[in-house]
Structures are given as structure tokens and as C-alpha cells.
Amino acid sequence: MMPPTVRPRRLRTTPAMRRLVAETRVHPAELILPAFVREGISEPRAIGSMPGVLQHTLDSLRRAAADAAEAGVGGIMLFGVPAVRDAHGSAADDPEGILNLATRAVVSEAGDALVVQTDLCLDEFTDHGHCGVLDARGAVANDATLDRYRAMAVAQADAGSALLGLSGMMDGQVAAVREALDEAGHQDTAVLGYSAKYASAFYGPFREAVDSQLTGDRRSYQQDPANRREGLREAELDVAEGADIVMVKPAMSYLDVLADVAATSPVPVWAYQVSGEAAMIEAAAANGWIDRRRAIEESVVSIKRAGADAVLSYFAVELAGWIR
């Protein structure tokens, strides 16, 4: 038998060679840190199911934003946890509500160094935990919810948010928010459509992070995990309605959908490495079953390889430090 003349291993021989020929790279500027701020606490609180992640006070959130900026992270996505909730999520568009206060604080602290972003959804603010207002039958009312989203959008933009993350999965939400922003003079505020957002089991730890009041599930408005084409269709609809960026969420279980969207989207495509995905890595690493750093790096590079232009990850600051 003749020895092989084609030897792909030549390009794997040393760390320097592997780095030189790598097809996919992750840069700190392509990472976005999700962060939680809770009203009414005096010290940051650990989240049991999300090791290393905190419910912040306004002061600790400022420090976290400064650390993210120092690490070169591209953005920070803010989630608010109010002290009082009601059926309509009144605290969501209150200028003195926790999310809008936090937005102003982070913009003041680090707004020139990273993109300050805000989650635009009612689930953290409602006493029933759904992403919209409910009708008389207890179902989420799509069009009535759009009115709440319009009010939230203006309040968040007024607070200084540069990019609004529309995560509620209501039909027509991008068009409604874009219209409200433009009418209020916020033409430069960007809109991120959580276009392909699936009704996933991997959101579990996030529910603890925002002290979710949800009973039941969100399958009537989030996508069925069995559907692939629908994810691309949702992204195309959001682009047509004026989304500046589209999202696939979760990331790791939906890399096929991410690749589909990335192959056709005329706007940037992001993906969210969600709480359950991060928690699995942490739990396995804590048990000594996997190499934590390598698993984090591999997981994020796989999301980038599938087509994400940027990745929301709870590991963002730590990973940025390793990259640099």
C-alpha cells in the first residue's frame, strides 16, 4: 500500500498552525452579556441554577457593565426584575421602573464602550408570567399586547437603550415597535427581532433569574421545537417588518435553524446561548465530567460556525478574557 499523499493532519500539527488555518474565530466584540437587575435588594444575589450569574443591584450592575466594556465585550442585554407585578406589566413602561432606571445607569457608566440593549417583553413584569396581556379566556391577546410593546419601546428608548430585544413572539411585534419608535423620534434606535424563538425546556434557570410567575407554558406563541422551516419564515417576516437584526433562540439545539437563517438573511443574525445550555456545562464541569473552559469555547465557536454574527452568552466576559 502506498503512503497517503494527501495529509490533512499537516494543518493540525501545532497550536500555531491550527490557529493560523482556523475557519471560525470568536472576537470579544461579537459577544453580548445578558444581565439581570432586581428591584428592592441591597446586595447582589446569586442564582442557584446559574453558577456565577447574579441578580444585580443598580450599583453592582454598573460595575458589571464596566467590566464587560473593559473586556471588550460588544454589548450588554438588560433584564429587569420588579418588586411589584400586575396583569398588564405596568412597571415595564414606567420611566422609574427598574429596567428603565438600570438602562440609564448602564448608559451613563459604559454606554460609549458597548451597546446597551434591553429586553422588550412583559413576562418579567406580569403577575401571570406570560409575555403579553391576557384576554377574558386567559389566553395571550396578541394585538392588545402590541399596544403594551409600543409603550415599552418608547420608554426604553427614552431611557437610552440603543437596541430593543423583542422577545415576546407576538405576530407583528417588529412592525408595531418600529412604528412607535419612529413616531416618537427614535429613528436611530435599533430593533432586534427574536424571530425564531422556540418553546424550549432550556429556559428553566432563566425563570429563577427573573423570579418568573408563570404557570402553564408558552407554546401558543413560541415556536414548536419540531419545526425548522417555520424558523426561517419568522425571520423573513421580521426582516420585512423592519428588524435590524434577527435572533435564533436557543442556540445549541437549533443550529440547523441558525444556519438556515444565516444563509439567507440580509441583516445580521444573532443567537442566544440560553440559561439551560450554560447550566448544563457548569453542572457537568462541576462533576469533573468535562473540561469547563474547552466546553465553553467549543460551544460558542459552534454557534459562530453555524452562522451567528454575534452570540449572547453568560460566559461572555470570561470568554472575552480568554480570547484576549
Side-chain angles (χ1 to χ4, degrees):
M1 178 178 175
M2 295 291 292
T5 56
V6 178
R7 295 181 182 268
R9 286 182 56 189
R10 294 186 188 110
L11 301 184
R12 305 171 194 155
T13 52
T14 66
M17 180 66 79
R18 292 191 293 273
R19 185 173 64 248
L20 181 65
V21 301
E23 298 176 29
T24 304
R25 304 178 193 278
V26 179
H27 190 278
E30 298 166 334
L31 300 172
I32 299 149
L33 176 69
F36 305 98
V37 58
R38 181 162 190 161
E39 186 175 19
I41 59 174
S42 58
E43 297 291 336
R45 289 185 182 176
I47 301 167
S49 57
M50 300 176 70
V53 181
L54 303 172
Q55 289 179 332
H56 285 287
T57 65
L58 287 175
D59 285 341
S60 69
L61 180 64
R62 289 187 187 96
R63 293 193 294 272
D67 290 343
E70 177 65 24
V73 166
I76 185 168
M77 177 67 78
L78 304 179
F79 297 85
V81 186
V84 177
R85 298 173 165 96
D86 60 30
H88 288 83
S90 301
D93 58 331
D94 181 350
E96 299 303 311
I98 185 60
L99 181 55
N100 295 319
L101 288 175
T103 302
R104 289 195 287 272
V106 173
V107 169
S108 175
E109 182 70 36
D112 293 334
L114 44 68
V115 179
V116 178
Q117 309 165 31
T118 45
D119 179 63
L120 197 158
C121 191
L122 283 173
D123 61 324
E124 297 105 294
F125 299 95
T126 56
D127 57 10
H128 48 72
H130 276 289
C131 298
V133 296
L134 305 183
D135 62 20
R137 299 176 295 112
V140 175
N142 191 97
D143 295 2
T145 297
L146 295 183
D147 290 335
R148 297 293 297 123
Y149 287 0
R150 291 183 181 98
M152 289 177 67
V154 174
Q156 291 181 5
D158 285 346
S161 179
L163 183 149
L164 312 184
L166 278 58
S167 62
M169 286 301 289
M170 295 296 115
D171 293 341
Q173 63 183 16
V174 170
V177 165
R178 183 73 269 161
E179 180 182 51
L181 289 171
D182 291 351
E183 289 179 351
H186 291 297
Q187 291 89 349
D188 292 335
T189 302
V191 170
L192 162 65
Y194 280 51
S195 303
K197 182 178 179 182
Y198 286 83
S200 172
F202 292 107
Y203 302 144
F206 180 92
R207 305 276 165 81
E208 179 187 356
V210 298
D211 189 25
S212 174
Q213 305 300 298
L214 180 68
T215 56
D217 58 56
R218 297 174 176 145
R219 295 182 185 182
S220 68
Y221 46 100
Q222 294 178 353
Q223 287 182 241
D224 185 341
N227 293 351
R228 177 174 178 173
R229 289 191 303 268
E230 186 182 32
L232 178 57
R233 183 186 184 214
E234 288 274 12
E236 290 173 341
L237 286 169
D238 281 357
V239 170
E241 291 180 15
D244 300 289
I245 304 167
V246 292
M247 172 86 86
V248 175
K249 178 183 180 183
M252 294 171 64
S253 298
Y254 297 90
L255 295 180
D256 56 338
V257 179
L258 174 58
D260 290 346
V261 174
T264 62
S265 175
V267 302
V269 178
W270 292 1
Y272 197 145
Q273 185 182 44
V274 299
S275 59
E277 295 170 328
M280 288 192 300
I281 292 174
E282 294 285 13
N287 278 284
W289 297 336
I290 60 174
D291 181 310
R292 180 178 179 276
R293 175 170 173 172
R294 287 187 61 195
I296 291 170
E297 292 173 333
E298 183 178 337
S299 66
V300 175
V301 83
S302 74
I303 298 167
K304 278 280 290 163
R305 190 186 65 241
D309 297 295
V311 181
L312 281 79
S313 173
Y314 298 98
F315 304 122
V317 173
E318 189 175 16
L319 179 56
W322 296 338
I323 295 169
R324 299 180 78 184

